C-alpha cells in the first residue's frame, strides 16, 4: 500500500504545522517554568488555575501568530520556486532554456571529475529539419506549434534523470547521464521516430516533421563546451548525410576527437 510522506520542505504544510506546534510547546514550557516559582505559595486550586492559564494562553496567542507567520513564509517559498522555474524555463516549449541546461550539465560534469571512473554520459543535439520552410510556408505561429510538438516528442522518450533544454531557435539539447553509446543511440533513434510520427497540422492538413540528431558519448572528464562542440560535429554529419537521421559517436581517449561512426 502506498503511503504519502509529509512534506517538511519550505513549500510543504509539514513545516508550517511542525514549527507552529514546536513553537507553541516551547512557549508553554517557558510560561510554566516562570510561573513555577510561585507554585509553592499557592493553594492547590490556585496552582491548577495557573497551570491551566499557562497552557491556554500560549495556545490562544502562539498558534495563530506562528501559524500566520509560517504560512507567509510558505507563500514566499512557493513564489520563489515559481520565479526560479520561470527564469530557467523556455516559455514556448516548457523545457529548460539554454542557460539552465548548460549550467546543470556543466555541474554534472564537474561533479564526476572527482570520480573519473563514474564519468559517463552522452549529449545529444537535436535540430528540426527544414524549419525555415515551415516558417516561410505557414507562418511563425505554426512554426511555434511545430517546436512545441517536437519538444513534447523529445520529453516523452526520456528517463527521469535525463535533461532537455532548448539551446537555439529550433535546436534542443538532451543530456543522458550514465548512458553508453548503445543507450544514447537507442534514445536518439526513439526521439527521431517519435517526431517523425507526430501530428503537426497546418493549412488544414498533416505536415511532416523530422529532426536530425548528433551526439557525443563520453567516458572521461571533459568540459561542457568541448562536449557540445563534439556533439555539434555529429549533428552536422547527420544534416550532411540527408537529415532525419541519427549520428552518435564516442569521444576517444587522448586529444579531444570522436571515434569514427
Amino acid at each position: 500500500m502506498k503511503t504519502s510522506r509529509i512534506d517538511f520542505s519550505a513549500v510543504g504544510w509539514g513545516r508550517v504545522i511542525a514549527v507552529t506546534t514546536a513553537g507553541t510547546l516551547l512557549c508553554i514550557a517557558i510560561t510554566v517554568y516562570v510561573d513555577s516559582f510561585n507554585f509553592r505559595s499557592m493553594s492547590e486550586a490556585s496552582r491548577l488555575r495557573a497551570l491551566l492559564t499557562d497552557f491556554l494562553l500560549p495556545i490562544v496567542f502562539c498558534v495563530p501568530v506562528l501559524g500566520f507567520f509560517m504560512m507567509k513564509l510558505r507563500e514566499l517559498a512557493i513564489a520563489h520556486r515559481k520565479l526560479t522555474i520561470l527564469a530557467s524555463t523556455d516559455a514556448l516549449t516548457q523545457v529548460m532554456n539554454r542557460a539552465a541546461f548548460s549550467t546543470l550539465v556543466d555541474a554534472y560534469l564537474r561533479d564526476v571529475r572527482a570520480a573519473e571512473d563514474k564519468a559517463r554520459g552522452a549529449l545529444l543535439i537535436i535540430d528540426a529539419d527544414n524549419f525555415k520552410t515551415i516558417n516561410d510556408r505557414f507562418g511563425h505561429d505554426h512554426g511555434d506549434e511545430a517546436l512545441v510538438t517536437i519538444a513534447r516528442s523529445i520529453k516523452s522518450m526520456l528517463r527521469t534523470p535525463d535533461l532537455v533544454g532548448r539551446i537555439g531557435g529550433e535546436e534542443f539539447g538532451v543530456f543522458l547521464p550514465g548512458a553508453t553509446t548503445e543507450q544514447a543511440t537507442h534514445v536518439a533513434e526513439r526521439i527521431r521516430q517519435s517526431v517523425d510520427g507526430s501530428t503537426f497540422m497546418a493549412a488544414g492538413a498533416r505536415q511532416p516533421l523530422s529532426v536530425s540528431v548528433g551526439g557525443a558519448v563520453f567516458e572521461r572528464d571533459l568540459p561542457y563546451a568541448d562536449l557540445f562542440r563534439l556533439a555539434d560535429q555529429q549533428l552536422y554529419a547527420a544534416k550532411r548525410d540527408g537529415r532525419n537521421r541519427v549520428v552518435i559517436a564516442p569521444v576517444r581517449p587522448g586529444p579531444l576527437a570522436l571515434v569514427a561512426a
Side-chain angles (χ1 to χ4, degrees):
M1 187 174 78
K2 187 177 180 180
T3 57
S4 58
R5 300 179 65 180
I6 300 175
D7 185 5
F8 288 103
S9 69
V11 299
W13 281 105
R15 181 176 294 193
V16 175
I17 295 170
V19 172
T20 301
T21 302
T24 302
L25 291 175
L26 179 62
C27 289
I28 291 173
I30 292 172
T31 305
V32 171
Y33 175 75
V34 172
D35 218 8
S36 66
F37 293 102
N38 301 317
F39 285 169
R40 288 186 179 182
S41 60
M42 294 180 181
S43 64
E44 186 68 25
S46 296
R47 277 199 298 271
L48 288 175
R49 282 196 298 270
L51 283 171
L52 185 62
T53 302
D54 292 342
F55 274 89
L56 290 179
L57 282 180
I59 292 173
V60 170
F61 288 104
C62 291
V63 170
V65 172
L66 287 174
F68 177 80
F69 177 72
M70 291 304 300
M71 283 190 291
K72 289 299 178 184
L73 287 180
R74 177 177 177 270
E75 289 173 5
L76 285 174
I78 291 173
H80 181 266
R81 175 177 286 188
K82 288 180 178 178
L83 286 173
T84 302
I85 292 172
L86 285 173
S88 62
T89 302
D90 176 64
L92 175 64
T93 59
Q94 296 301 301
V95 299
M96 282 184 283
N97 58 31
R98 184 187 184 100
F101 179 77
S102 61
T103 298
L104 286 178
V105 175
D106 205 31
Y108 177 88
L109 295 174
R110 284 198 309 269
D111 287 344
V112 299
R113 276 171 204 153
E116 288 199 20
D117 58 317
K118 297 181 181 178
R120 173 182 289 176
L123 176 66
L124 308 180
I125 301 180
I126 302 159
D127 189 77
D129 294 329
N130 303 310
F131 189 73
K132 186 177 183 302
T133 303
I134 295 175
N135 279 332
D136 291 345
R137 286 184 60 193
F138 308 114
H140 289 278
D141 287 345
H142 283 297
D144 288 347
E145 291 176 15
L147 289 176
V148 171
T149 300
I150 292 171
R152 189 184 303 120
S153 297
I154 293 171
K155 288 190 290 185
S156 68
M157 295 296 109
L158 301 182
R159 309 164 302 175
T160 300
D162 300 335
L163 304 176
V164 56
R166 185 182 177 191
I167 56 178
E170 63 270 16
E171 199 168 74
F172 296 86
V174 168
F175 185 68
L176 307 171
T180 63
T181 302
E182 182 181 356
Q183 291 168 336
T185 302
H186 177 68
V187 172
E189 186 58 34
R190 288 180 62 196
I191 289 172
R192 187 197 65 77
Q193 292 175 2
S194 178
V195 173
D196 194 46
S198 62
T199 302
F200 169 60
M201 302 297 296
R206 183 182 180 276
Q207 304 296 333
L209 279 180
S210 70
V211 293
S212 298
V213 185
V217 181
F218 66 94
E219 291 188 359
R220 63 184 177 94
D221 171 33
L222 75 168
Y224 171 75
D226 291 336
L227 183 61
F228 183 91
R229 175 174 57 81
L230 296 171
D232 197 48
Q233 290 174 8
Q234 300 305 94
L235 174 64
Y236 177 79
K239 292 284 188 180
R240 182 194 59 211
D241 293 344
R243 298 184 173 88
N244 194 20
R245 62 187 61 237
V246 170
V247 179
I248 307 289
V251 179
R252 71 185 182 194
L256 282 177
L258 292 162
V259 175

